[in-house]
Amino acid sequence: MRDDEAIEKVLGALRATASPAGMERRAVNALLERLGADGVKTARSWSMGLLSSFSGGRAFGLRGGDLAAAGVIAVLTVVFAVARSQHRPGLGPTDAAKAEVSMQVRAPQPSPNSGRGDDRALPAQSDHRTLPRRATREMTGVSLRVRAATITSYPAPVAPLSAEERMLLQVARTGGPEEIAMLDPVARAKEEAEGEAEFERFAGQSRHE
Amino acid sequence: MTSIGECGLMFSSIEGARSEIDLAALVETHSAVLFRVAHSVLRSRTDAEDVVQDVFVRVLEHRANLPAVREMRVWLVRIAWNLALDRRRRVRPEQMDEEFAGELVARDVPADEAMADVRRMTAVLRQIERLPRDERQVLLLSTTEELETAEVARVMGKSESAVRALLFRARKRLRERMERGVRT
């Protein structure tokens, strides 16, 4: 291989590298885990953001003391929502946050033209009835609208062989017919019988001579 | 697939309203290009995938700034590039390069010839890493087929003509160094 060929081969391989199957799904799962981990912090910052976005409360005729009271009420509301979600049976703090995120998972919308209507729905539909939508928005800040129609679930890809393993395979398995036959007892017996018959033929010819 | 313009429109439309950000759509649209960018630096599929996840975690952490982002793909590629460089400093790049080169060698060639090819392609990868920073970046980004010259220019903060010149110089320098058999 010449230098030019090596350069083009390397650059071409970098260009042709395909992303692993299911990478998008795993990325979304990582985001869900992340949201589950800092859901409470997000809720606090989101509620403060909402307060500040009300132009200091003047638009609603609030004065300084009223604004402070409104802030306390908002924080208490969020704390109440968090406490309520954490006390739901069967859900820990992380699970509760995940459930609130997955609540916004939309059901697949099979399009008549897309041809992808057979994609699987995510198992989160029942949560629509059990959790308040507004609380979810405040908890997560960002809606993860996981579109099951476009992101399907894949198992983790098979780990590729290492360079050493591949070289070992090349050395150990030349793939010749004799080697393959030795792995099959029936074929091996047949091969031995043929060898024996050939030897007998050769021995017979030698005796005649 | 969502274009850059559509992404910019979506985020500009939510600027005032603080409405929902379709992060899953971002993942779906951009993860492939981000993977290729990260892989061009790291030459490891698992590490490149980790970088893609880290990019979107960063997006999640800085979602307050998203309305200001006009060119989502360019912005994401910049993040991926920097995260990949950070990761490359922490891992052993030589080992990754050898493994990657080993994957490129044809299986039907004799072992001694295969070893020589692996060495040559590992040398190419090593020489790419020793190119001047801008030349290396433009060479690797240009291997990402989704990125056109104009986008590479915006990622690097340079003009298109400068990017073309850098790419020409990078290839020339790489070829010369390979011919000279520069070794360290």
Side-chain angles (χ1 to χ4, degrees):
Chain A
M1 183 185 287
R2 292 185 303 120
D3 290 337
D4 280 349
E5 286 176 40
I7 291 171
E8 292 307 320
K9 191 159 188 175
V10 166
L11 294 178
L14 291 175
R15 187 174 296 117
T17 303
S19 55
M23 183 181 68
E24 292 87 354
R25 163 61 58 190
R26 290 191 289 278
V28 169
N29 287 342
L31 292 175
L32 287 171
E33 282 176 17
R34 182 74 182 208
L35 276 173
D38 62 2
V40 176
K41 192 174 76 179
T42 308
R44 191 176 296 125
S45 62
W46 184 252
S47 64
M48 295 308 288
L50 278 177
L51 279 175
S52 64
S53 69
F54 283 152
S55 307
R58 288 194 196 93
F60 294 85
L62 297 176
R63 287 177 303 201
D66 297 333
L67 185 60
V72 170
I73 290 169
V75 169
L76 286 176
T77 306
V78 173
V79 168
F80 175 72
V82 171
R84 203 176 151 203
S85 66
Q86 287 181 343
H87 282 90
R88 290 174 64 212
L91 285 179
T94 306
D95 292 336
K98 278 183 188 172
E100 287 174 352
V101 174
S102 63
M103 182 188 126
Q104 297 199 4
V105 171
R106 286 190 294 187
Q109 305 282 333
S111 163
N113 298 327
S114 66
R116 302 185 66 176
D118 58 343
D119 289 310
R120 286 157 283 177
L122 295 177
Q125 302 306 311
S126 60
D127 287 333
H128 275 282
R129 291 187 295 275
T130 55
L131 291 171
R133 185 174 186 80
R134 193 170 165 193
T136 302
R137 239 176 234 167
E138 290 177 357
M139 283 296 296
T140 60
V142 174
S143 163
L144 275 178
R145 287 182 288 159
V146 183
R147 291 188 293 184
T150 52
I151 299 180
T152 51
S153 176
Y154 294 98
V158 179
L161 293 178
S162 67
E164 290 78 13
E165 287 169 333
R166 277 196 306 278
M167 288 180 76
L168 195 60
L169 267 183
Q170 284 179 350
V171 170
R173 291 282 302 275
T174 55
E178 282 184 15
E179 184 194 358
I180 292 171
M182 293 303 281
L183 300 174
D184 184 354
V186 177
R188 186 171 54 188
K190 189 180 170 189
E191 193 182 27
E192 282 174 358
E194 284 176 358
E196 208 168 322
E198 193 177 356
F199 176 75
E200 288 298 327
R201 277 199 304 275
F202 170 74
Q205 283 174 2
S206 300
R207 278 196 290 272
H208 289 304
E209 288 171 3
Chain B
M1 181 172 284
T2 312
S3 69
I4 300 173
E6 286 167 348
C7 276
L9 193 65
M10 181 173 75
F11 283 103
S12 62
S13 70
I14 66 170
E15 191 168 6
R18 273 183 179 270
S19 49
E20 296 174 344
I21 295 163
D22 200 341
L23 201 50
L26 274 186
V27 173
E28 186 188 352
T29 307
H30 300 292
S31 53
V33 63
L34 299 181
F35 174 83
R36 250 191 279 272
V37 167
H39 185 266
S40 72
V41 177
L42 293 165
R43 269 85 83 170
S44 159
R45 292 167 68 83
T46 50
D47 282 293
E49 183 172 342
D50 286 348
V51 165
V52 173
Q53 288 189 9
D54 288 349
V55 169
F56 290 111
V57 169
R58 291 287 175 102
V59 171
L60 190 65
E61 288 171 346
H62 297 93
R63 57 187 174 275
N65 300 326
L66 287 182
V69 177
R70 293 293 166 195
E71 290 186 290
M72 184 54 60
R73 185 152 73 169
V74 169
W75 185 64
L76 293 174
V77 166
R78 273 191 199 140
I79 298 174
W81 177 264
N82 289 325
L83 286 176
L85 286 184
D86 283 348
R87 184 172 283 256
R88 190 174 170 89
R89 288 187 201 108
R90 294 199 302 269
V91 297
R92 293 172 59 196
E94 298 81 15
Q95 187 185 5
M96 289 180 174
D97 287 349
E98 279 178 22
E99 286 181 12
F100 179 67
E103 291 170 7
L104 305 182
V105 175
R107 288 167 186 263
D108 54 349
V109 298
D112 54 341
E113 199 177 319
M115 292 294 283
D117 287 351
V118 168
R119 273 199 295 271
R120 193 176 296 267
M121 283 189 281
T122 307
V124 172
L125 292 165
R126 198 179 300 136
Q127 291 307 330
I128 287 176
E129 290 308 309
R130 287 175 186 165
L131 288 173
R133 194 190 62 162
D134 284 352
E135 290 181 17
R136 185 181 71 234
Q137 185 173 10
V138 78
L139 185 67
L140 292 178
L141 284 178
S142 69
T143 64
T144 309
E145 62 183 357
E146 291 94 338
L147 292 178
E148 294 172 359
T149 309
E151 279 180 286
V152 173
R154 287 199 289 278
V155 169
M156 297 180 64
K158 295 186 181 298
S159 67
E160 283 187 54
S161 56
V163 164
R164 286 197 195 93
L166 279 169
L167 184 57
F168 176 76
R169 281 209 298 271
R171 281 179 165 275
K172 186 163 178 269
R173 197 187 303 269
L174 183 60
R175 203 175 305 119
E176 285 170 356
R177 287 186 177 182
M178 286 299 294
E179 281 169 5
R180 284 207 308 265
V182 176
R183 296 185 195 286
T184 60

